[in-house]
Amino acid sequence: MSEHAVLVSGDRVEAVGPLAELSSAYAGARVRRWPGTLGPGLLHDSPLPPAPTPRERVHALLRTGVTAVLVEHLADPALRAAAERSDMLVLATAVAPTLRPGGRADLAVHGVDGTCLVTVVAGRIVHRRA
């Protein structure tokens, strides 16, 4: 969503709309800007990438903008625990992520080259590209 914004309060989306409109309506809100396209977090629907530890496997996904994973790919209890500690959504079925008022604040910003610049899970920044 180019030139759009998401107003987040705690772990929830309060509003979604044009940046100018939300900035005007919520003048006291803290604004974070990144040079990319804002959208909902991604759903990962295949096995997690290899890494030395379950935590690193989950963080490999977070670095790509993933905020949800299908439960079928978390059969290893240590891997599932790592996903849950990160507040990643664990879903039984594939559901297209959305950004909507009242929904969980799971979002990502991707640069023009597709690189994930920021991942937000439940309103908390869990990845920010340096």
Side-chain angles (χ1 to χ4, degrees):
M1 294 186 302
S2 180
E3 293 302 314
H4 272 70
V6 176
L7 179 68
V8 174
S9 179
D11 67 348
R12 297 286 152 192
V13 172
E14 291 290 320
V16 178
L19 176 60
E21 192 176 296
L22 291 182
S23 293
S24 175
Y26 302 92
R30 181 168 144 194
V31 177
R32 293 181 184 243
R33 296 174 191 254
W34 289 279
T37 302
L38 170 68
L42 304 175
L43 169 65
H44 187 75
D45 62 357
S46 60
L48 275 66
T53 68
R55 179 184 174 278
E56 291 173 273
R57 293 178 74 186
V58 168
H59 280 269
L61 295 179
L62 295 171
R63 286 191 301 273
T64 65
V66 169
T67 60
V69 65
L70 293 178
V71 69
E72 66 190 74
H73 302 298
L74 300 175
D76 175 1
L79 191 54
R80 180 153 186 175
E84 289 173 349
R85 274 193 306 276
S86 297
D87 281 337
M88 187 175 280
L89 282 176
V90 177
L91 304 174
T93 58
V95 178
T98 61
L99 287 175
R100 58 179 171 67
R104 213 171 92 137
D106 292 337
L107 53 108
V109 177
H110 288 88
V112 293
D113 64 354
T115 301
C116 181
L117 305 175
V118 177
T119 305
V120 175
V121 174
R124 187 172 48 90
I125 295 174
V126 294
H127 163 71
R128 179 175 36 219
R129 186 166 178 170

